[in-house]
Amino acid sequence: MESESTAQTKKSHFAKVLRKHRPTLEEVRAIKRSREPVVFTGIDIGSCAQTWTPQYLLEKSPTLANAKVSAHVSSSANFDFARKNFKYETLVGRDFLQKVVRSASSLSSKAEFFYLRSLGADPRKFEPAMALQQFPELVRDVRLPSDLWDNKENALHSVVLRVSSPSVKIWLHYDAMDNVLIQLNGTKRVVLFPPKHSGDLYLKDSSSMVSDIDDSKTNDEEYPRFRHALENAQEIILQPGDCLFIPALWAHRCESGSAAPSVALNAFFRDLEKNAYPTKDAYANADPIVAKEVLANIEESIEKLKALPNQHGEFYASVASANLARAFGVDAVPTTVVDDERREKKDNNRASVLLKAFCGAVVVAATKAIAKKKIVV
Ligand SMILES: O=C(O)CCC(=O)C(=O)O
């Protein structure tokens, strides 16, 4: 077996995600209420943690082997959603799984990387994935404690099968729902960012413009606020059988180990009541209805302030951002950083920079405020 990627073995400066070995149901419940990521280890999750290689999936599940799947394909291992450096290819499941196996071997003639995030039966109708129902031959291999997995109070949104070539990095993004990510084959490095640093992530919709979180030279030049997020990030290297609880709105970047293809299964759960979310959301990344409205209102406010002389914009943006910071306990964006950015983009007026910097934080804060009242799981 070849050695693990340098990114996964080199000494890391990140705080480590908390670990909980064989948690009781009470402990699982308390952790979900804490809204902090935690990795659960030593849980008996069934045979999947020992058996689910791409080859096994191919042989065990004719439904998956014969299904049409939409694969992400790229010549780069660093899949970047903002710059779309990959294409979607519709493949038969069997061909996709064989390509993943080949991409992991030195026999492969060209460097191509593959990634599958399984979709619902009819994605055009925004149907979320239900992988274990869609590929029923696999269901008996998976067993999880009810408080991690069961569809209590109608909170389950989707169950997703994720398969990739070794070394694939999936772009930094956030999901609007709680996530239980179970690593089943190969290792996976996950770096997570607390919701209160979403204003430092240069988000465009649910994905970050930061292409490679480890490229500090580029990031310091192009995304100077990102270093504040990095200082508060947490890291974990998942082993087969580990179950990572990723609370809603904790942005994360995943990187598969270099030694083997990655197979993982994850479930998304609503942490708010069902009617707090838009109905058309196949991917669990649509902002709750209130948060979306708040963001739209802020965009509208920015345009209104831009119509005033600049010192009015500066004054009211500064007051508004301080009010938001105070109300939700998020840090105001350091002025020096804002000024640096302003120097770089002279056409951007300060009011717009200040208010936009708070957009991410407001989504989080609004969602947290609702969540305090309406926690379902
Ligand atoms: O494990 C992966 O491939 C990516 C997981 C992920 O980003 C997610 O579950 O949101």
Side-chain angles (χ1 to χ4, degrees):
M1 208 196 243
E2 63 186 277
S3 67
E4 201 46 283
S5 79
T6 46
Q8 295 208 348
T9 51
K10 78 178 176 202
K11 204 162 167 30
S12 152
H13 50 275
F14 293 106
K16 296 284 165 266
V17 169
L18 285 174
R19 293 181 164 272
K20 189 77 212 166
H21 193 64
R22 298 202 179 142
T24 62
L25 289 185
E26 264 319 306
E27 286 168 334
V28 170
R29 285 184 199 137
I31 284 164
K32 282 160 92 181
R33 283 195 300 271
S34 78
R35 317 309 299 154
E36 286 282 321
V38 174
V39 62
F40 300 110
T41 57
I43 297 179
D44 176 10
I45 59 171
S47 59
C48 52
Q50 284 83 47
T51 54
W52 278 27
T53 59
Q55 190 64 36
Y56 172 89
L57 296 178
L58 196 163
E59 285 159 15
K60 176 82 187 209
S61 174
T63 321
L64 173 58
N66 294 319
K68 282 200 174 142
V69 298
S70 175
H72 303 60
V73 184
S74 181
S75 56
S76 166
N78 186 32
F79 285 65
D80 180 337
F81 190 82
R83 292 166 191 83
K84 287 274 170 23
N85 69 344
F86 56 85
K87 57 184 184 202
Y88 294 100
E89 247 180 56
T90 304
L91 296 168
V92 177
R94 175 181 297 100
D95 294 343
F96 166 76
L97 292 165
Q98 282 167 348
K99 279 172 188 278
V100 169
V101 173
R102 268 205 302 278
S103 71
S105 87
S106 51
L107 296 173
S108 169
S109 57
K110 54 179 175 174
E112 259 194 326
F113 297 87
F114 298 88
Y115 178 67
L116 173 70
R117 180 226 191 275
S118 74
L119 301 175
D122 192 348
R124 281 166 309 173
K125 290 191 182 148
F126 297 94
E127 227 169 83
M130 281 295 169
L132 295 176
Q133 288 167 19
Q134 291 171 268
F135 313 123
E137 302 88 353
L138 299 175
V139 72
R140 286 213 301 196
D141 294 353
V142 184
R143 185 173 61 235
L144 279 154
S146 61
D147 265 50
L148 263 185
W149 196 251
D150 279 1
N151 191 10
K152 288 194 174 162
E153 302 182 48
N154 214 7
L156 181 69
H157 170 271
S158 49
V159 174
V160 183
L161 177 67
R162 297 177 187 264
V163 181
S164 80
S165 308
S167 304
V168 160
K169 298 177 185 179
I170 294 300
W171 58 90
L172 174 57
H173 68 279
Y174 72 90
D175 299 300
M177 295 184 191
D178 284 354
N179 186 352
V180 178
L181 174 62
I182 306 164
Q183 188 62 23
L184 296 168
N185 192 68
T187 61
K188 186 170 287 159
R189 174 184 178 229
V190 187
V191 180
L192 302 110
F193 298 85
K196 67 157 64 175
H197 283 279
S198 55
D200 299 327
L201 299 182
Y202 298 83
L203 292 170
K204 189 163 170 263
D205 299 324
S206 61
S207 302
S208 171
M209 292 300 295
V210 174
S211 179
D212 183 349
I213 64 166
D214 299 313
D215 181 357
S216 51
K217 187 167 177 296
T218 306
N219 295 340
D220 281 348
E221 278 165 18
E222 291 180 24
Y223 308 109
R225 292 212 318 270
F226 185 61
R227 72 187 127 94
H228 300 290
L230 280 178
E231 281 160 15
N232 293 281
Q234 297 184 22
E235 181 185 50
I236 177 77
I237 295 178
L238 297 175
Q239 304 295 328
D242 288 352
C243 306
L244 176 63
F245 170 58
I246 308 177
L249 306 175
W250 277 74
H252 46 280
R253 206 286 302 260
C254 298
E255 175 182 356
S256 299
S258 61
S262 168
V263 177
L265 198 59
N266 84 284
F268 287 111
F269 296 91
R270 301 176 189 88
D271 70 319
L272 307 178
E273 283 168 13
K274 195 171 182 178
N275 63 7
Y277 298 91
T279 46
K280 291 182 176 170
D281 177 16
Y283 298 99
N285 63 0
D287 294 315
I289 294 164
V290 170
K292 194 170 175 204
E293 266 172 33
V294 169
L295 286 184
N297 289 343
I298 287 185
E299 285 301 317
E300 211 181 296
S301 304
I302 290 172
E303 290 312 310
K304 285 180 186 162
L305 283 177
K306 274 185 182 170
L308 298 175
N310 198 41
Q311 75 274 20
H312 288 251
E314 285 193 348
F315 181 87
Y316 290 106
S318 182
V319 170
S321 58
N323 287 349
L324 286 167
R326 215 174 20 248
F328 297 105
V330 290
D331 296 332
V333 176
T335 320
T336 49
V337 175
V338 174
D339 285 347
D340 285 349
E341 284 191 351
R342 192 181 174 205
R343 240 175 278 125
E344 276 162 32
K345 300 179 189 128
K346 291 195 180 63
D347 57 329
N348 241 350
N349 98 17
R350 181 172 162 79
S352 143
V353 172
L354 267 170
L355 271 180
K356 278 197 169 141
F358 269 86
C359 282
V362 169
V363 176
V364 172
T367 312
K368 268 202 301 198
I370 307 166
K372 265 189 198 149
K373 295 201 182 107
K374 299 180 182 170
I375 290 175
V376 171
V377 281

